[in-house]
Amino acid sequence: MKGQIWDTKPLEYWEKAKELRARWEKSGDRPDKVVGQGNTSFIVDWQQAFPAITVIEDNPRGSTIAAKNFKEARECRLASEIRGWGREICGYHGVFWGQQFLGRQPDGSPFAEREFVIPFPCVCDSHAKRGQQCRDFKPVPQWQNDMTMYLGELDERREAPMLDHRNYCLYKTINDLERIFGQKFDDEKMVEMIRAGKEIRKIRQEIFIYMTYKPAPLSVKELYSTYALGGLVKLPVQEALDFWRMVRDEVKWRAENKVAAVGTERYRWMEHHPPGYYFLKYYRYMEKYGAVCIGSQYTNFTFGALERKADGSIGARDVPDHPADMPIETREDELRYTTGADARALSSPTFKVDEYLRPYALNEFADVYGVDGALLSIWRSGVGCTLTRKEQARRLRKAGISVFHLEGNQGGDNTDYDEKRVIEQLDQWMESQGLRKFEE
Amino acid sequence: MITAGIDVGIENVKVVILEDGKAIGRSKGRSGGWKRLAATETALGEALRDAGKTAGDVSRTVATGKGKFDVASIAGDVITEPVAALKAAQFLCQEVTTVVDVGADETLVASVNEKGRIEQLVINEKCAAGVGSFLRNMARRLELSLADMDGLPPVAPDGSTVSDGCIVFGELDALNLLNNGVSAKEVASAVTASAVIRVTNSINDITVPRLDKVVLLGGLTKNTAFVKALNARSKIEFAIPEDAEYGGALGAALYAAGWGDSYYMENKTA
Ligand code: SF4
């Protein structure tokens, strides 16, 4: 390879990841299952404790279509638009909902009709709109996957009643699903998932620490093909756990032996949220300059954030969590654990507080990963993926990080994306950093 | 050593011929849309004539600008616009601390650190693209020459404004003002003020400003109404060197001549 500085070799877990992902792509909307839509998983995907219920998450499906099939993505978005879902809607949702309107999946098979919907509220209104879209299409029941969200610092007094409310909602959702669809919720499986979820989180944080090494043993390009496995991309619990152990072991070995994800690494850059899925080739393009994308605020919160400790070392961000030996004996314990872990240990202190602290959160990321530059997109739609970008850019610049913007609609919508302009600007950015492309 | 620098812009192609650190020939012509290569060949010929040289005298040719890849058959190498602008600014004004290059299409702002390297780089957002083209088109619509616009106040005295976001909106606003009986000069002031706001927004995105010596380059340096309004709004006293309009081409010619450090890290393979 031109410009190779570090040893590199293909990832061994890659084939397994591909296999799991392909299975997931085919698995969701099976005719023998009750199919719902929405979000049931942050840390513990509780819907898997039902024997024959599956809940499809819009985002990974929408982004997969946007990445793999431009023509289908466009058809889907147009189908959403003519029903009044304008271009301000998140591209993933425009695409995903379009499948429902067109009545087909990307492979041409029929779209399985949804029998219920579980949206969740978010700083991004597109997430909350998911319930409305589904119920406008067909009058199905809706349960709200509520979140303990508020602006401001973490506040135990505010959080406690909100968690009570969440537990109650989840309790009721599960009871209702049992009653309506005649299925028994498997509490033992739920406990197994809670334990596994906790371990997966720990493993992922270990992987993240290895990613701070130079050269990076894993870049975000590989991570994005993997990170949703066992989370938004649903897998049987033991399989998810085994998979993540395998990833961790390989990444650890690579980090310790200086085997790089990208043999040309000489510049490190970061993003904020998921990429334009119709333009994943920019990761490879930047590698021609020796520039490697190391992650984003998004990977940071989905994997569990890192922080610099008082002694200068880097470690997993300290967040309030349940004690490891907390007994889980009743369904209420399960749910308290789930909503607590989900609201406090995973999504809240990283995602929610990062939303509040967003303008600062990237600076911490840049410090921990030794980042040289940041590419922050300014999308015209999908509020949640664009909120505070310019503020973030200003703060990063002040900290000496070179920032560049990339413009378009949203990661799942290439309507206004000018690829040639973006490539030209990437060239300008990289050259301003003193880097020239290695010969092709 | 004689080198040529070519700046292939959206509207104009400019060429500078450099001999031993001195610009000895220049030319400027329309960049010709899809006929960029032919337009560039013509401009290069004119610049060589201006310099009293022939193509065979030129040791190295480097291109920059949006159409740089379209002239690969002429240029031995290409460099991006920020590096070309920096080279030109440093050559024209040794103490440069920030360079602002406003062209037909793009506004580029680069602050320069003590080592002479780009510290922060800002390029306009897409909505704010085309500042130079916008001003030229509006002047044509308003039937005002650059000389007519010379004495314009930096903001319209009657308070007329046009959109400083999207240029399409700006143009429609301007037409509405005309339809409502606002004079062409008032409208021209409003249009110029909107262009200036777009440019100052990019300047303000530099979070650690280095304003000791701000060099202004690009075609708009010839538009005195724009420059005055930009001075007034940004409160920056810009240095506008004589060859400011030819900044990109000059930077490319300097790079071709190996003037200053190479700017780029060496592409080594371990
Ligand atoms: S715009 Fe971003 S935050 Fe909002 S729904 Fe889409 S992916 Fe989520």
Side-chain angles (χ1 to χ4, degrees), chain B residues 8-255:
Chain B
V8 192
I10 291 289
E11 291 212 350
N12 295 308
V13 54
K14 294 167 193 165
V15 180
V16 166
I17 308 293
L18 196 76
E19 182 171 29
D20 300 331
K22 196 167 178 304
I24 56 165
R26 298 162 190 80
S27 77
K28 177 178 138 181
R30 306 289 294 158
S31 60
W34 72 93
K35 291 181 186 155
R36 276 181 186 152
L37 182 58
T40 304
E41 282 166 343
T42 306
L44 182 59
E46 280 171 16
L48 285 168
R49 261 193 301 284
D50 186 43
K53 303 287 176 192
T54 64
D57 297 328
V58 177
S59 315
R60 207 166 162 232
T61 303
V62 169
T64 188
K66 284 278 169 281
K68 55 186 175 286
F69 295 114
D70 295 342
V71 299
S73 57
I74 301 177
D77 198 358
V78 293
I79 58 172
T80 55
E81 296 80 318
V83 178
L86 175 73
K87 288 256 167 221
Q90 287 174 327
F91 178 77
L92 296 169
C93 179
Q94 238 183 335
E95 324 84 90
V96 60
T97 54
T98 293
V99 53
V100 179
D101 188 336
V102 191
D105 170 52
E106 196 165 82
T107 299
L108 173 165
V109 185
S111 62
V112 185
N113 67 16
E114 291 77 10
K115 291 184 188 142
R117 303 190 64 76
I118 293 174
E119 185 173 72
Q120 293 190 12
L121 172 69
V122 172
I123 296 202
N124 62 275
E125 281 172 40
K126 205 171 176 181
C127 291
V131 166
S133 298
F134 172 59
L135 286 180
R136 192 180 60 89
N137 292 343
M138 289 312 300
R140 206 166 44 199
R141 266 182 185 271
L142 297 168
E143 297 178 359
L144 295 174
S145 66
L146 274 184
D148 294 330
M149 293 176 65
D150 209 10
L152 289 179
V155 290
D158 73 348
S160 297
T161 56
V162 303
S163 168
D164 51 53
C166 163
I167 274 171
V168 176
F169 284 17
E171 192 161 344
L172 287 174
D173 291 348
L175 295 179
N176 275 333
L177 289 174
L178 286 174
N179 289 343
N180 284 308
V182 177
S183 76
K185 286 203 169 181
E186 286 280 347
V187 177
S189 278
V191 161
T192 305
S194 78
V196 159
I197 289 172
R198 293 188 188 104
V199 174
T200 40
N201 281 352
S202 294
I203 295 174
N204 291 337
D205 263 352
I206 298 281
T207 51
V208 183
R210 292 179 176 268
L211 302 177
D212 296 338
K213 188 57 95 181
V214 185
V215 174
L216 186 62
L217 300 177
L220 275 180
T221 51
K222 290 281 164 226
N223 182 331
T224 48
F226 169 81
V227 172
K228 269 193 235 158
L230 186 62
N231 277 336
R233 184 168 182 95
S234 66
K235 306 202 171 39
I236 296 170
E237 208 43 64
F238 291 93
I240 305 181
E242 207 180 320
D243 266 335
E245 192 189 1
Y246 289 90
L250 177 62
L254 288 163
Y255 180 77

Side-chain angles (χ1 to χ4, degrees), chain A residues 92-111:
Chain A
Y92 305 153
H93 295 160
V95 170
F96 185 76
W97 300 347
Q99 285 190 97
Q100 184 159 32
F101 299 132
L102 295 172
R104 64 171 189 244
Q105 305 206 58
D107 63 2
S109 59
F111 188 87

Side-chain angles (χ1 to χ4, degrees), chain A residues 59 90 92-93 124 126-127 382-385 410:
Chain A
N59 290 25
C90 164
Y92 305 153
H93 295 160
C124 182
S126 276
H127 277 295
V383 180
C385 283
Q410 194 267 348

Side-chain angles (χ1 to χ4, degrees), chain A residues 16-32:
Chain A
K16 184 71 187 166
K18 258 169 62 183
E19 176 204 318
L20 295 175
R21 208 175 160 92
R23 201 172 348 124
W24 165 77
E25 277 178 28
K26 289 209 179 78
S27 71
D29 319 10
R30 285 216 324 259
D32 58 331

